[in-house]
Amino acid sequence: MNENKMKIPIIIVSLFFSYLSCFAQGEWNQWRFGQNISLDFNSGNPVQVANNNMNTGEGTISLADSLGNLLFYSDGKAIWDKTNIVMPNGYGLHGTWQPFKPALSFKRLANDSTFYLFTVGEARFMPSDYFGLYYSVVDLRLHNGLGDIPPTLKNIPLNAADSAFDYLCGTRAWNNRDVWVIVKKYISLTNLKPYMAFKVTPAGIDTIPVVSSSGLVSLYPYTSDGVIKISPDGTRLITTGTCQPWGNRMAEFCHFNNKTGQVTPEFIFKPSISSVYPRFIEFSGNGHFVYIEGVNNNGQHPLFQYDATIEDSAGFMASEVYLGNNCTSMQLASNGKIYINDLALPPVTDSMHVINFPNNHGVACGFQRHVLVFNNNNSGNGSIPQFIQNYKAYIHKTGDCQSDSVHFSGDIWPPPDSVRWNFGDPTSGTANISTGVTPAHVYSATGTYTVELYVRHNDNRTDTTWKTIIIKTGPQPALGPDQTICAGQTTTLDAGAWSGCTYEWKDLGSGLVVGTNQTYTTGAPGAYAVMVTGPNGCTGKDTIQLFLGTPTVVTATITTGTTTICAGTPVTYTASGNPTGTSPSWQWKVNGVNTGTGGQVFTDTPSNGDCITCVLTSNAFCVTGNPATSNQICMTVNQLNPVSLTITSTSSHTCAGTPVTFNAFPTNPG
């Protein structure tokens, strides 16, 4: 490479990374492949559009801006602009119409107008047919903003990879800034290190690759076409190809060091069905599972799932799950699903299958056939565009009921510096916002909500993603405040009547289920919980604590001013007691006979020997001796004697002027 050719890529890469902080997920949203097939993912699911003049059966790339607007697409031989016209200098790229990903482009923003486009050729027996690894630069400022390849920046060879063929993939480096471009080349008996990883940094392309050995050996001049795939987190690499000259196709499980570019082979494997050889590969979004398509002599092309987190060959193979037939190339889309080209006998590729939930194990991944039909257009054997995993931010949740917490988590790469959640529920006040990694939220009402996840990455780039959720109504049992019960007494707990619901009562101390009805009666202290489950699966819960109270003896006392009176004198008696409760009952008795009089004050005109008592019935909680009879007051009533007197005088006859003395004598003195 001459000096002039090297200077411009340095500028381009610098521009590339200076705008990296503005990336969004729209770059994956335009797919161009096969016979004029166009898919638009901007709505979240693929929509067929008429916007593709490319007709190919093999590997392609297509690039969009951060808003999901098409920029350009290529089959490795030519490059079309967004108006579906081949760029003026867009012919004659050194790719090939092979199924195995001959082209790779770094996704860039529209306002940063330069892009790398890597291509790799096909090797067929003769050294002159080795196309090797090349790159070109696409500048969208040229050709009136539609883009073109400057003549001096087209098909620039990376000489260290002059025998690279078929295999081509890329991934972000550990700092999520640099890029590794990985190829595989033919080897000889003197060079058994076919993996080559070229690092792209702000300084440009390092033309000296990191080379690594492989157990998947194919010696020149035998072909060994296959694919390389790297997990989204950049740590696992799987390759398919031929194991020995004219040998069986196999797959190689490797570790990839995204700091150093080193590939470390771990083991070689193939599907357990003896006649099936692995070919196309794709990882789930979280990197937990890998999906591998195989080919056999009957042309059935089965699809398998493996657990990529298992790093020993026996455990890895034991995780194999067969999903279906007639599959070929596949690609993870921006909506988190994996789309797969159909391949039936005779070779027909006019539709696509989908794995709806690639992060789920086994059949729960939701493999579904023929979700897209292309009206007799051929989608190509291996032509689905490939992408470099950039950033991602997806929202996952569990729960959808008003009465219970809805738990959220983010599927984010790379690990974020910070996150902020808006649950779309402003009525909940400050609880509507969270900065937790795995927050939970209880929605204030049923209905439809839009949840927002804002992500700030370590390089200050930000992402915002949204998810619409529906919160369903659920039962909301209320057991009231905690209670105190007395030994020997019971209380009945009531969860309320909820139509069509089931009930489950638990003693939280023992963890045992103690009831399945609307009410539960108990006399044992402790903590109890009820869970009410509605017909829509929503549940409501409440708990209550029962305490054991100390019993109190009920007592009653009456008092009066005096117990001795004269007949006919009214007497007032006053009662007191403990504990009385909030609404006690006082019943007065005279000589044991109920007077029908209540209240704490009783006024009576007793007869001699009358005995007065009061009976207190307390409504206080946890009492004994209830009702309680007071002390007895017996009255002494003195009868009334008539008041009379007699008088005497010293004379009954006297003369005028003579004094007479009178004396009075009471009959009942006092």
Side-chain angles (χ1 to χ4, degrees), residues 183-529:
V183 296
K184 194 176 182 184
K185 67 172 188 175
Y186 271 116
I187 62 175
S188 66
L189 291 176
T190 59
N191 183 1
L192 298 177
K193 294 185 176 182
Y195 289 114
M196 309 188 79
F198 293 86
K199 193 173 187 179
V200 183
T201 72
I205 301 174
D206 189 342
T207 59
I208 301 175
V210 177
V211 296
S212 304
S213 61
S214 171
L216 206 60
V217 176
S218 178
L219 303 178
Y220 168 78
Y222 304 103
T223 62
S224 178
D225 50 8
V227 298
I228 302 176
K229 272 287 185 175
I230 299 179
S231 61
D233 63 359
T235 62
R236 301 181 185 92
L237 179 149
I238 295 181
T239 306
T240 59
T242 304
C243 189
Q244 292 293 339
W246 298 114
N248 294 331
R249 290 179 183 264
M250 302 290 284
E252 183 171 49
F253 185 103
C254 306
H255 281 105
F256 182 71
N257 188 325
N258 57 12
K259 287 187 177 182
T260 66
Q262 191 72 37
V263 177
T264 304
E266 297 295 333
F267 56 85
I268 294 174
F269 69 96
K270 66 179 294 294
S272 59
I273 301 175
S274 60
S275 61
V276 174
Y277 305 109
R279 188 169 57 160
F280 288 105
I281 309 165
E282 184 56 293
F283 284 89
S284 61
N286 63 3
H288 192 118
F289 296 104
V290 63
Y291 296 84
I292 295 180
E293 173 264 355
V295 60
N296 65 10
N297 295 332
N298 296 324
Q300 293 177 333
H301 300 276
L303 178 66
F304 303 90
Q305 182 200 70
Y306 300 87
D307 189 334
T309 67
I310 301 175
E311 299 181 354
D312 68 275
S313 59
F316 181 85
M317 289 305 301
S319 73
E320 179 184 273
V321 177
Y322 167 77
L323 297 176
N325 272 328
N326 299 338
C327 298
T328 178
S329 61
M330 47 191 153
Q331 177 63 46
L332 179 68
S334 60
N335 61 7
K337 302 180 180 182
I338 295 175
Y339 290 85
I340 307 169
N341 268 337
D342 177 39
L343 186 58
L345 279 178
V348 175
T349 54
D350 61 355
S351 66
M352 297 189 86
H353 315 314
V354 67
I355 301 173
N356 288 290
F357 312 107
N359 295 335
N360 291 351
H361 176 255
V363 296
C365 72
F367 175 69
Q368 185 179 359
R369 301 181 59 80
H370 306 300
V371 294
L372 293 171
V373 178
F374 299 124
N375 299 321
N376 297 321
N377 283 13
N378 194 312
S379 61
N381 179 16
S383 65
I384 302 179
Q386 70 164 329
F387 303 94
I388 291 180
Q389 174 69 52
N390 285 328
Y391 298 79
K392 65 174 180 175
Y394 300 108
I395 296 173
H396 300 297
K397 75 165 182 70
T398 55
D400 54 6
C401 301
Q402 175 193 358
S403 57
D404 201 359
S405 294
V406 180
H407 295 268
F408 295 93
S409 63
D411 183 6
I412 303 169
W413 181 259
D417 175 71
S418 61
V419 298
R420 185 186 68 210
W421 298 84
N422 184 319
F423 302 115
D425 184 19
T427 306
S428 63
T430 58
N432 188 45
I433 303 296
S434 174
T435 57
V437 177
T438 55
H441 183 71
V442 178
Y443 279 84
S444 55
T446 59
T448 301
Y449 296 86
T450 299
V451 181
E452 178 185 273
L453 171 60
Y454 173 86
V455 179
R456 179 175 293 279
H457 295 279
N458 290 320
D459 59 2
N460 292 324
R461 175 190 180 276
T462 62
D463 268 328
T464 304
T465 188
W466 298 267
K467 186 180 186 69
T468 300
I469 65 173
I470 297 176
I471 300 300
K472 298 182 292 188
T473 186
Q476 300 181 43
L479 299 179
D482 294 342
Q483 298 181 22
T484 300
I485 60 174
C486 188
Q489 294 179 328
T490 62
T491 186
T492 297
L493 307 176
D494 192 338
W498 301 95
S499 178
C501 293
T502 60
Y503 299 83
E504 182 182 85
W505 294 87
K506 275 191 175 181
D507 181 334
L508 296 181
S510 66
L512 298 177
V513 175
V514 293
T516 56
N517 297 321
Q518 176 185 330
T519 61
Y520 173 64
T521 300
T522 182
Y528 295 89

Side-chain angles (χ1 to χ4, degrees), residues 17-39:
F17 292 113
S18 70
Y19 285 94
L20 195 61
S21 62
C22 302
F23 276 14
Q25 299 177 45
E27 301 136 326
W28 292 25
N29 286 353
Q30 298 294 334
W31 291 17
R32 302 296 182 267
F33 60 100
Q35 294 178 347
N36 315 114
I37 293 174
S38 302
L39 295 180

Side-chain angles (χ1 to χ4, degrees), residues 58-249:
E58 310 303 351
T60 65
I61 60 99
S62 56
L63 202 69
D65 64 21
S66 63
L67 300 178
N69 300 311
L70 179 67
L71 296 178
F72 59 84
Y73 53 96
S74 174
D75 61 358
K77 303 288 282 186
I79 182 169
W80 286 259
D81 63 30
K82 63 184 178 182
T83 66
N84 305 298
I85 302 298
V86 175
M87 294 179 180
N89 194 29
Y91 288 103
L93 298 177
H94 285 354
T96 178
W97 290 306
Q98 262 288 310
F100 303 104
K101 310 302 183 191
L104 177 70
S105 181
F106 298 168
K107 297 180 283 295
R108 308 282 301 280
L109 277 178
N111 63 347
D112 183 7
S113 302
T114 53
F115 305 82
Y116 277 130
L117 176 62
F118 286 83
T119 59
V120 68
E122 174 190 10
R124 291 293 179 185
F125 299 103
M126 294 299 293
S128 60
D129 292 331
Y130 288 167
F131 285 98
L133 178 64
Y134 295 81
Y135 74 91
S136 302
V137 174
V138 181
D139 190 339
L140 291 188
R141 293 168 296 195
L142 302 178
H143 195 220
N144 298 318
L146 296 177
D148 198 8
I149 301 176
T152 60
L153 298 178
K154 181 178 180 180
N155 291 329
I156 301 172
L158 290 169
N159 294 325
D162 58 352
S163 66
F165 65 102
D166 296 335
Y167 301 88
L168 174 61
C169 72
T171 186
R172 295 288 169 189
W174 67 275
N175 58 11
N176 216 50
R177 181 198 65 181
D178 303 336
V179 176
W180 290 106
V181 176
I182 300 98
V183 296
K184 194 176 182 184
K185 67 172 188 175
Y186 271 116
I187 62 175
S188 66
L189 291 176
T190 59
N191 183 1
L192 298 177
K193 294 185 176 182
Y195 289 114
M196 309 188 79
F198 293 86
K199 193 173 187 179
V200 183
T201 72
I205 301 174
D206 189 342
T207 59
I208 301 175
V210 177
V211 296
S212 304
S213 61
S214 171
L216 206 60
V217 176
S218 178
L219 303 178
Y220 168 78
Y222 304 103
T223 62
S224 178
D225 50 8
V227 298
I228 302 176
K229 272 287 185 175
I230 299 179
S231 61
D233 63 359
T235 62
R236 301 181 185 92
L237 179 149
I238 295 181
T239 306
T240 59
T242 304
C243 189
Q244 292 293 339
W246 298 114
N248 294 331
R249 290 179 183 264

